[in-house]
Amino acid sequence: MASLFCQRALDVEPNNLQGLDMLGHICSELGDTQKAKGISFVQAEVYVSVIQIFLRAVELSPDEGHSKYMYLGQIHTGHEAVEYYTRGIQVLLAALDKQAQTTAHAGAAALPEEDPELPTAKDVCVAYCSIAEIYLADLCMVEGAGDKCREYIEKALQYHHDNPEALQLMASYLFSTERNQEGKECLLKSVGQWLPAQKVSAGSSKTEEDLQNEIPPYESRITTAKLLMESEEYEVWYLSGWVCYLQLEKAKEQQEREGREVAEEEKEEWKALKEAARSYLTNAKKLYSKLRCDDQPMLEHVEQLLGELGGEMTEGDEGEEADPNLDDDFEPCSDEEEDDDEADAPMEH
């Protein structure tokens, strides 16, 4: 319906920038990037091309509004994507300069209320991260790709020095260049920016939407878990178990909303998620004790989740068992031993 009314507005005024920008955003949300590359969407019997909409907005207003460039960057790949992101960053920086000049002339006493629609330094950081990710993936084989990747991550951190996604991206880069200890430090700093606050917020009266806005996107959190596994951090067991628990709860809620019987395939999937969650959380609890960690809220949450799932995983349980390396005879190595191990056995990727 939103798409229909946007199209009607554009029928009246074809060059209306607000209408073009809004329609582009709507269509991008309704379809995937593969469709956006060359297939039009059918919305209320109106064929709409996402790329054409944003390119029209660029033609009408090339120096204002950075979001259209960011969407075009997401839709395209390789050097084309880099070009769009770069242009968007130029528009962003110009807007930030203009804001700074306006603020300077207005004076502190006349500062307007914060406008969520205005661009911020964090937007610049995210844009630079998008370019860095391209050099980690699509353009990884281009000569000097590693240097370019690091350059753009460093630029991102200049504008938002404690951004979790930028720090995580730097960790990915460092792991890829076998600088594992630096990567581990960067990764833990990234997680430290949001996870402790998330644990506190989870027990507050904030809405689900507010909580989601305070943490990195889902895809980023999955990458966090993978990198933590590479760096062998104990908290990854907790995160992995929590993810499986949430997936299980979401699947059950959906089935209840639909008011239908549980299919056999769903039962098997639920059982697998439950066993995986129990296994991960059991390992988290064991390793928590062995490493003498000081994070009581996390331990309490682990025990709460295990209680809801049927208790700790034991050797007699079917399915995935807890890691035998974390049994009672497991002893953590000293920092010196860990450093020696890292030097002797580089991490595989």
Side-chain angles (χ1 to χ4, degrees):
M1 290 300 293
S3 172
L4 172 61
F5 282 110
C6 275
Q7 186 60 51
R8 287 182 176 177
L10 291 170
D11 288 341
V12 176
E13 189 179 339
N15 293 336
N16 183 281
L17 281 172
Q18 183 180 8
L20 284 168
D21 194 51
M22 185 177 294
L23 184 57
H25 291 184
I26 291 169
C27 293
S28 184
E29 291 294 327
L30 288 173
D32 60 39
T33 55
Q34 292 303 315
K35 290 181 180 178
K37 287 287 290 183
I39 303 176
S40 298
F41 302 99
V42 181
Q43 292 297 322
E45 299 180 354
V46 177
Y47 287 86
V48 183
S49 171
V50 177
I51 295 179
Q52 290 176 356
I53 293 170
F54 284 126
L55 289 178
R56 180 61 176 158
V58 168
E59 180 183 343
L60 293 171
S61 180
D63 299 323
E64 292 184 10
H66 68 282
S67 62
K68 54 181 174 284
Y69 292 107
M70 301 306 163
Y71 272 96
L72 285 167
Q74 291 174 18
I75 292 170
H76 290 81
T77 58
H79 291 293
E80 281 186 294
V82 171
E83 290 176 5
Y84 282 120
Y85 281 126
T86 300
R87 184 69 185 110
I89 290 171
Q90 292 172 351
V91 174
L92 265 173
L93 294 177
L96 289 175
D97 287 342
K98 186 177 180 180
Q99 286 177 222
Q101 293 174 11
T102 301
T103 301
H105 288 134
L111 286 176
E113 293 185 5
E114 185 176 346
D115 186 350
E117 298 299 321
L118 292 176
T120 64
K122 181 181 178 180
D123 293 325
V124 182
C125 172
V126 171
Y128 276 128
C129 284
S130 297
I131 298 179
E133 287 177 339
I134 294 173
Y135 281 104
L136 267 179
D138 295 352
L139 300 179
C140 64
M141 301 305 292
V142 173
E143 184 178 354
D147 293 336
K148 283 284 187 182
C149 177
R150 174 150 195 152
E151 174 188 345
Y152 284 113
I153 298 173
E154 289 175 344
K155 286 183 177 180
L157 291 170
Q158 286 176 9
Y159 284 91
H160 197 191
H161 68 91
D162 58 356
N163 183 278
E165 292 178 74
L167 289 167
Q168 177 176 284
L169 200 55
M170 179 62 85
S172 294
Y173 165 79
L174 292 169
F175 282 134
S176 70
T177 56
E178 297 188 2
R179 297 162 67 178
N180 299 331
Q181 186 57 37
E182 291 178 66
K184 181 177 178 179
E185 293 171 1
C186 211
L187 179 61
L188 295 180
K189 184 177 180 181
S190 170
V191 175
Q193 296 300 318
W194 62 271
L195 187 58
Q198 170 66 8
K199 293 175 185 176
V200 175
S201 299
S204 69
S205 58
K206 292 184 179 180
T207 65
E208 181 67 21
E209 183 177 356
D210 289 336
L211 293 175
Q212 290 299 319
N213 289 334
E214 293 176 356
I215 61 178
Y218 175 77
E219 293 81 3
S220 179
R221 300 199 301 274
I222 291 297
T223 302
T224 298
K226 292 178 180 178
L227 291 173
L228 284 168
M229 288 179 181
E230 287 195 40
S231 61
E232 300 178 348
E233 280 300 305
Y234 78 91
E235 208 161 39
V236 69
W237 296 110
Y238 165 57
L239 292 171
S240 299
W242 194 3
V243 166
C244 290
Y245 171 86
L246 292 173
Q247 287 178 316
L248 176 60
E249 291 300 303
K250 185 176 181 180
K252 289 181 178 179
E253 289 173 5
Q254 182 176 350
Q255 180 267 333
E256 290 178 1
R257 283 197 304 269
E258 296 173 356
R260 55 177 175 76
E261 294 293 327
V262 183
E264 287 299 320
E265 185 178 345
E266 286 179 313
K267 290 180 181 179
E268 290 299 319
E269 182 180 349
W270 292 5
K271 180 181 178 182
L273 284 171
K274 181 178 179 180
E275 290 175 349
R278 289 178 63 202
S279 174
Y280 292 144
L281 293 169
T282 298
N283 287 337
K285 186 174 179 180
K286 286 184 177 181
L287 199 50
Y288 179 96
S289 300
K290 291 303 175 183
L291 296 181
R292 297 180 288 277
C293 303
D294 185 18
D295 191 345
Q296 189 63 26
M298 189 205 78
L299 178 60
E300 291 174 357
H301 193 209
V302 167
E303 292 177 337
Q304 174 192 337
L305 295 176
L306 282 171
E308 295 180 24
L309 293 166
E312 297 181 29
M313 183 72 77
T314 63
E315 293 183 5
D317 289 327
E318 296 181 1
E320 185 174 359
E321 296 183 1
D323 191 337
N325 292 325
L326 304 182
D327 285 340
D328 292 338
D329 59 351
F330 170 78
E331 291 295 340
C333 61
S334 66
D335 292 339
E336 291 182 0
E337 290 173 336
E338 183 176 0
D339 292 339
D340 291 341
D341 290 342
E342 289 177 355
D344 294 339
M347 188 177 298
E348 296 181 359
H349 298 277

